[in-house]
């Protein structure tokens, strides 16, 4: 009898495999992954039988098959011939009998989607020829003859240019993803550079599509025992936004697209998936033109970036759950035409590696700091090392009440921040990768050669300017505060300004507050009691006269409290100083000089620095700057003498 939960073997352990594991775990489905040690999927799933190696290695694939009841893929660039052999002839399994003798038998393992589909999709040119033969609308395309050397290729590209006009899109037929195989040949002058850069690849050319939008629909394909298609059901279609040929965002539903067009896109997607073979989820990428014509761009035979939103938006049957049920051939009432989203709108923002390993962190800080009544934020990091333009995570934003335009407005900061990370990466001239050709990865000369949709605008403002406007302000104000600054009265604010500036300069997230120990004792005690629970690490409290605020705050919290005596109208601030400094034994309250909010802020940063190295590093630099400033002054005094020095001070 078949096990209640069969074991699934997955070729590829990237983020799609990881999210498949994340869906399989709670359902009690064992998943075994074939990929490198520590790949994202393996990090999420500690199955003891994972296979280490390449999903292109026939022996490793056979190893995986021996341990699995079904096989599937999370990437199409696998050895499909071996999969074909495993599903038709089987894989040899050797067993040792009780008497010590050995017996071998051939184990057939079903592979979904069918290896035949994988082979077809692996060659983009043939994939589209297949679609055209089945009456699916596609952009005009021509094979490009390679193997004639650079000169032959230049001639070939010129001929293609004459047929397709400029610009046209030159694409790698095999091995491409995330835009790695695309090259926009803008004019006839670009032909030589294109030939030089792409000559190692097996190529074809596509007529440029002046689309107004890109759409994508995930489709679930089910078959009966005989392998006949019994149903194809589509998820709601989404708008996908690409920059430099890489998907950066998706919107569900698409913005400004009526129901009719959405239904048309879903129907085309279903029509496409009816022409292939095997079970599982597929993505169909499409171009929507100005006149609402839809052309199909390509198929992905697996879960897809444009279906990530289903994890939160269609949680009853996400694309990953659907993949599991469909591959196993299980009927589930959720695999029906009623893949109804449980939210009114959803957006997905990809987290792509930036210029530096940490460039993307502000996006996470933003997500960590936001909580909204009508927008939920879901972060997915993939456990991948950050590299420029690499997909290392995504953030899904969903709302149960807002429409997509409302959600888009709420999510503005996410989009702006992702754009800035991209602009900074582009400005730094970091390179995107090309597919593997003849055993090596090609790095292009310039990312500007990679496709940029005509509908996408370039960053106009200098990146640094925009970056400091958004990152600087935003991170300080929106990131979860680490320091709480409170004062007995708004008149203390002038004294606090210098300290707040220091916190700004060190990019310390902080919050400001007015609480009076005498006039609002309850407010003060609530503030002090909650502070540690809210993630505050240090409190700065300023007060004048009978300055009880810092001491009282200290008595309500386990956090370190720094008191600033403020000079009030009488006694030159001596009264405030003594009120704060003379705390009873057992309730410490650090006290800085009268009106010295600068030192209060610096002390707070040193306290943070004890456990957060970034602040300790910044403090060290601040001290070096101070030292240099004094050295510089001493040097000037020696050079100019006291009279000249005083002259300069006038
Ligand atoms: P990948 O396999 O890397 O996703 P695609 O063929 O889907 O490659 O191309 C990536 C992106 O490049 C598309 O989503 C689209 O933005 C752009 N693109 C691809 N083909 C064309 C074309 N013929 N005309 C205009 N833009 C295109
Ligand atoms: Mg694509």
């Amino acid at each position: 009898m078949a096990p209640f939960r069969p074991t699934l073997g997955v070729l590829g352990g990237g983020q799609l495999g990881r999210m498949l594991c994340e869906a399989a775990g709670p359902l009690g489905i064992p998943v075994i992954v074939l990929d490198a040690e520590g790949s994202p999927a393996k990090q999420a799933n500690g199955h003891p039988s994972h296979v280490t190696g390449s999903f292109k290695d026939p022996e490793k694939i056979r190893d995986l098959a021996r341990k699995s009841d079904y096989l599937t893929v999370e990437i199409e660039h696998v050895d499909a011939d071996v999969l074909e052999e495993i599903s038709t002839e089987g894989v040899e399994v050797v067993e040792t009998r009780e008497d010590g003798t050995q017996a071998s038998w051939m184990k057939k393992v079903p592979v979904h989607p069918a290896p035949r589909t994988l082979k077809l999709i692996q060659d983009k040119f043939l994939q589209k020829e297949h679609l055209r033969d089945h009456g699916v609308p596609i952009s005009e395309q021509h094979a490009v003859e390679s193997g004639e050397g650079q000169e032959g290729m230049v001639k070939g590209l010129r001929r293609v240019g004459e047929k397709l006009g400029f610009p046209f899109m030159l694409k790698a037929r095999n091995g491409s993803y995330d835009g790695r195989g695309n090259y926009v040949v803008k004019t006839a002058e670009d032909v030589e550079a294109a030939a030089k850069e792409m000559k190692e690849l097996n190529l074809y050319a596509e007529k440029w599509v002046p689309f107004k939008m890109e759409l994508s629909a995930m489709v679930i394909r089910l078959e009966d025992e005989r392998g006949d298609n019994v149903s194809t059901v589509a998820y709601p279609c989404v708008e996908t936004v690409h920059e430099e040929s890489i998907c950066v965002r998706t919107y569900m539903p698409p913005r400004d697209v009526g129901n009719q067009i959405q239904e048309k896109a879903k129907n085309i997607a279903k029509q496409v998936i009816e022409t292939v073979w095997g079970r599982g989820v597929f993505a169909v990428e499409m171009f929507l033109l100005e006149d609402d014509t839809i052309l199909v761009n390509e198929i992905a035979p697996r879960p897809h970036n444009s279906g990530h939103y289903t994890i939160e938006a269609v949680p009853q049957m996400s694309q990953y759950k659907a993949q599991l049920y469909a591959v196993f051939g299980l009927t589930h009432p959720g695999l029906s035409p009623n893949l109804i989203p449980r939210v009114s709108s959803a957006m997905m923002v990809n987290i792509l590696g930036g210029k530096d390993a940490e460039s993307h962190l502000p996006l996470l800080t933003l997500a960590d700091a936001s909580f909204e009544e009508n927008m939920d934020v879901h972060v997915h990091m993939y456990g991948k090392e950050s590299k420029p333009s690499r997909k290392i995570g995504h953030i899904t934003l969903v709302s149960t009440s807002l429409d997509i335009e409302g959600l888009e407005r709420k999510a503005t900061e996410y989009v702006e921040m992702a754009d800035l990370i991209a602009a900074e990466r582009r400005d730094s001239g970091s390179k995107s990768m090309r597919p593997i050709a003849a055993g090596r990865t090609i790095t292009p000369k310039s990312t500007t050669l990679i496709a940029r949709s005509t509908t996408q605008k370039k960053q106009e403002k200098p990146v640094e300017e925009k970056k400091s406007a958004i990152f600087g302000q935003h991170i300080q104000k929106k990131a979860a505060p680490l320091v709480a600054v409170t004062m007995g009265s708004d008149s203390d604010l002038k004294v606090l300004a210098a300290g707040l500036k220091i916190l700004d300069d060190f990019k310390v997230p902080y919050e400001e507050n007015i609480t009076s120990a005498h006039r609002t004792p309850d407010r003060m005690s609530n503030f002090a009691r909650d502070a540690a629970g809210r993630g505050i690490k240090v409190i700065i409290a300023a007060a004048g006269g009978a300055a009880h605020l810092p001491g009282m705050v200290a008595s309500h919290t386990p956090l370190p409290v720094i008191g600033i005596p403020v000079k009030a109208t009488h006694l030159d601030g001596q009264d405030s100083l003594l009120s704060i400094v003379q705390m009873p034994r057992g309730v410490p309250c650090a006290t800085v000089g009268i009106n010295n909010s600068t030192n209060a802020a610096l002390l707070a940063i040193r306290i943070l620095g004890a456990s957060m190295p970034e602040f300790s590093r910044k403090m060290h630099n601040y001290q070096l700057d101070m030292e240099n400033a004094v050295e510089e002054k001493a040097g000037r005094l020696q050079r100019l003498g006291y009279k000249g020095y005083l002259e300069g001070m006038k």
Side-chain angles (χ1 to χ4, degrees):
M1 207 176 72
F4 181 67
R5 294 298 197 202
T7 297
L8 181 66
V10 184
L11 282 81
Q15 65 264 27
L16 299 171
R18 179 181 175 104
M19 286 181 266
L20 193 67
C21 289
E22 286 167 355
L27 294 173
I29 297 173
V31 178
I32 307 176
V33 174
L34 164 55
D35 208 333
E37 204 71 71
S39 60
K42 290 184 184 177
Q43 291 172 32
N45 166 346
H47 199 291
S49 302
H50 289 314
V51 181
T52 304
S54 163
F55 40 75
K56 294 182 180 173
D57 179 340
E59 260 326 298
K60 297 291 178 183
I61 298 175
R62 288 189 190 105
D63 245 12
L64 184 74
R66 286 186 190 99
K67 299 172 175 180
S68 309
D69 298 311
Y70 289 86
L71 288 178
T72 191
V73 300
E74 61 111 51
I75 179 165
E76 52 276 25
H77 308 301
V78 298
D79 187 332
D81 288 328
V82 181
L83 289 175
E84 177 90 64
E85 175 196 295
I86 290 169
S87 64
T88 53
E89 292 158 38
V91 58
E92 187 180 28
V93 179
V94 180
E95 275 172 350
T96 307
R97 296 198 195 92
E98 272 180 17
D99 64 5
T101 57
Q102 289 198 322
S104 77
W105 56 287
M106 295 302 280
K107 175 184 172 189
K108 280 190 197 170
V109 184
V111 179
H112 289 286
R116 189 179 171 193
T117 301
L118 296 175
K119 269 191 240 176
L120 177 69
I121 285 172
Q122 280 171 353
D123 186 327
K124 277 184 160 187
F125 179 71
L126 295 184
Q127 178 197 142
K128 292 214 192 120
E129 291 289 292
H130 163 92
L131 291 178
R132 205 190 35 212
D133 293 348
H134 284 81
V136 176
I138 58 160
S139 177
E140 184 183 339
Q141 60 173 11
H142 297 281
V144 173
E145 295 312 322
S146 48
E148 302 168 30
Q150 163 120 353
E151 245 174 66
M153 185 179 246
V154 168
K155 278 192 200 143
L157 289 182
R158 291 226 165 90
R159 278 196 299 276
V160 166
E162 278 160 26
K163 286 187 211 151
L164 296 179
F166 292 95
F168 69 83
M169 185 66 101
L170 188 59
K171 290 191 182 181
R173 286 171 68 148
N174 327 89
S176 175
Y177 63 96
D178 291 345
R180 293 179 181 199
N182 290 4
Y183 191 111
V184 185
V185 185
K186 292 185 196 137
T187 62
E189 281 79 63
D190 277 347
V191 162
E192 290 197 9
K196 195 163 171 210
E197 183 160 329
M198 305 288 278
K199 64 175 184 290
E200 314 257 343
L201 303 169
N202 194 8
L203 299 169
Y204 77 105
E206 263 180 32
K207 193 174 174 69
W208 187 258
V209 182
F211 56 82
K212 71 172 172 191
M213 181 180 282
E214 289 186 79
L215 298 174
S216 175
M218 297 304 304
V219 176
I220 309 171
R221 186 187 149 97
L222 301 175
E223 290 179 340
D224 62 17
E225 291 290 296
R226 291 199 312 271
D228 291 331
N229 179 210
V230 287
S231 80
T232 40
V233 287
Y235 284 90
C237 80
V238 301
E239 172 188 349
T240 59
V241 177
H242 290 74
E243 278 166 19
E244 296 168 10
S245 283
I246 305 175
C247 177
V248 290
R249 282 192 301 285
T250 68
Y251 297 82
M252 190 287 303
R255 296 166 297 174
D256 269 339
V257 174
N259 265 342
Q260 242 186 332
I261 303 292
Q262 293 180 40
E263 284 307 306
K264 183 170 146 188
K266 280 169 67 171
N267 285 335
I268 292 179
K270 287 196 285 187
Q271 181 199 346
V272 165
I273 298 311
E274 274 160 17
T275 72
V276 296
W277 310 273
R279 309 193 292 248
V281 296
F282 297 76
V284 179
E285 297 180 11
M286 292 164 272
F287 297 126
L288 177 64
L289 309 194
E290 283 299 338
D291 65 357
D292 289 340
T293 307
I294 292 177
L295 300 181
V296 171
N297 173 30
E298 64 167 343
I299 309 171
R302 51 172 167 76
H304 188 253
N305 201 175
S306 67
H308 289 352
Y309 82 98
T310 61
I311 297 176
E312 286 86 13
V314 196
Q316 73 280 19
M317 187 52 72
S318 71
Q319 64 166 346
Y320 298 101
K321 280 189 193 169
Q323 176 72 349
L324 297 164
Y325 284 117
V327 167
F328 291 161
L330 295 173
T331 50
H332 187 299
L335 295 170
S336 69
N338 304 317
L339 292 166
I340 297 172
R342 301 302 195 218
V343 299
S344 53
S345 55
M347 269 178 77
M348 189 273 325
V349 178
N350 269 337
I351 304 177
L352 301 176
K355 167 175 154 287
D356 303 314
E358 295 188 340
S359 301
H360 61 283
L361 294 184
L363 266 175
L364 301 187
T365 312
L366 174 61
D368 286 349
S370 49
F371 179 79
E372 306 272 354
E373 275 300 311
N374 48 7
M375 178 176 84
D376 287 333
V377 179
H378 302 273
V379 177
H380 297 255
M381 290 306 289
Y382 305 151
K384 286 160 83 170
E385 189 196 338
S386 177
K387 290 192 184 150
S389 296
R390 189 182 206 195
K391 285 179 184 161
I392 54 173
H394 75 267
I395 299 176
T396 302
L397 307 146
V398 293
S399 177
T400 50
S401 54
L402 297 170
D403 60 13
I404 189 65
E405 284 76 21
L407 181 64
E408 188 188 12
R409 274 194 297 280
K410 270 242 163 302
T412 307
E413 282 172 311
Y414 288 89
V415 174
E416 285 185 348
M417 202 167 274
D419 280 353
L420 279 166
I421 294 166
E424 192 187 32
R425 183 180 60 231
R426 274 197 297 274
D427 277 14
S428 74
S430 54
K431 313 265 189 285
S432 298
M433 304 306 277
R434 289 287 180 213
I436 307 287
R440 65 190 187 89
T441 304
I442 304 173
T443 307
K445 291 261 164 0
S446 152
T447 44
T448 52
L449 296 170
I450 296 176
R452 167 178 285 276
S453 148
T454 44
T455 56
Q456 288 142 15
K457 282 194 226 103
K458 253 202 132 134
Q459 202 76 42
E460 297 105 4
K461 276 199 183 180
V463 177
E464 278 312 315
E465 200 181 302
K466 275 204 138 187
K467 191 177 156 196
S468 57
I470 294 185
F471 283 23
Q473 261 181 36
H474 184 87
I475 296 303
Q476 287 160 40
K477 294 272 154 61
K478 274 284 180 87
L482 294 171
V483 176
V485 181
T486 188
M487 60 207 94
S489 146
D490 61 354
S491 59
D492 302 329
L493 197 52
K494 280 194 201 121
V495 168
L496 278 170
L500 294 174
K501 170 143 191 337
I502 297 267
L503 294 178
D504 279 335
D505 291 348
F506 277 78
K507 298 197 173 14
V508 175
Y510 62 88
E511 61 175 36
E512 302 126 293
N513 197 352
I514 299 175
T515 46
S516 164
H518 305 123
R519 291 181 291 257
T520 60
D522 288 343
R523 181 179 159 79
M524 180 214 65
S525 56
N526 288 341
F527 154 80
R529 269 199 205 101
D530 294 351
R534 283 184 289 116
I536 299 290
K537 304 283 181 248
V538 190
I539 297 175
I540 296 175
H548 294 138
L549 177 69
M552 287 308 294
V553 167
S555 68
H556 283 296
T557 178
L559 295 173
V561 177
I562 305 169
I564 307 173
V566 174
K567 181 176 153 184
T569 35
H570 306 289
L571 305 176
D572 266 353
Q574 300 281 344
D575 46 352
S576 328
L577 171 65
L578 295 175
S579 309
I580 299 173
V581 82
Q582 288 294 60
M583 284 294 288
R585 205 161 272 135
V587 189
C589 180
T591 312
V592 293
I594 297 167
N595 280 4
N596 198 341
S597 66
T598 300
N599 271 7
L602 291 172
L603 180 56
I605 294 164
R606 285 179 180 221
I607 293 172
L608 294 178
S611 58
M612 302 167 97
E614 79 225 62
F615 292 119
S616 165
R617 261 197 315 273
K618 285 183 188 169
M619 181 55 70
H620 186 59
N621 290 341
Y622 175 86
Q623 289 172 290
L624 288 178
D625 286 349
M626 236 174 5
E627 190 180 325
N628 289 341
V630 175
E631 296 279 359
E632 195 268 326
K633 282 179 187 165
R636 192 143 38 99
L637 180 59
Q638 281 192 342
R639 274 197 322 278
L640 302 177
Y642 82 93
K643 284 186 189 150
Y645 195 101
L646 280 176
E647 202 52 39
M649 286 175 82
K650 277 183 191 160

